[in-house]
Structures are given as C-alpha cells and as structure tokens.
Amino acid sequence: VLLLMLLWVLLLMLLWVLLGVLLRVLLGVLLGVLLGVLLGALVMLRTFICLCWRRCIDRRAPTGST
C-alpha cells in the first residue's frame, strides 16, 4: 500500500512538473506572439505617421526644401 501511494505521489509530481513546463512554454509563446504583434503595430504606426508628416510638410513647403 505504501509503495502504491509513493508511486501515486511520484506520478502526481511528474504530472505537475509537466503541466508547469507546458504552461511556461505556452506563456512564452503567447508573450512572444504578443510582443511581435505589438512591435509590428508600432512599426506600421510609425511609418504611417512619418508618411502623413511628410505629406503635411510637403503641403506646407511645395518647393521641396526641408
């Protein structure tokens, strides 16, 4: 009976460790994806703002002098 209980505890610990590793991996992947999406959105926003800014400057100075 004692051996059975010990095996059960070991199995539970193994499952717990596996679950922890899986959760960590999933969290890492999710964080990576979120960071990638955020970075992409920031870059797109920056290019959009730069384009709009350039257009505004071009409109203000039609001669093309910066």
Side-chain angles (χ1 to χ4, degrees):
V1 180
L2 199 71
L3 197 72
L4 202 74
M5 277 178 71
L6 200 71
L7 276 170
W8 185 245
V9 166
L10 274 170
L11 194 75
L12 275 173
M13 278 173 69
L14 195 74
L15 274 170
W16 191 250
V17 167
L18 275 171
L19 268 172
V21 167
L22 271 172
L23 274 172
R24 259 187 230 156
V25 167
L26 274 171
L27 272 172
V29 167
L30 274 171
L31 275 172
V33 166
L34 274 171
L35 274 172
V37 166
L38 274 171
L39 275 172
L42 275 172
V43 167
M44 279 174 70
L45 200 70
R46 203 194 65 189
T47 18
F48 183 67
I49 286 171
C50 275
L51 278 169
C52 284
W53 191 250
R54 273 184 200 150
R55 274 188 204 150
C56 286
I57 286 173
D58 283 348
R59 264 189 222 146
R60 221 186 302 160
T63 51
S65 59
T66 49

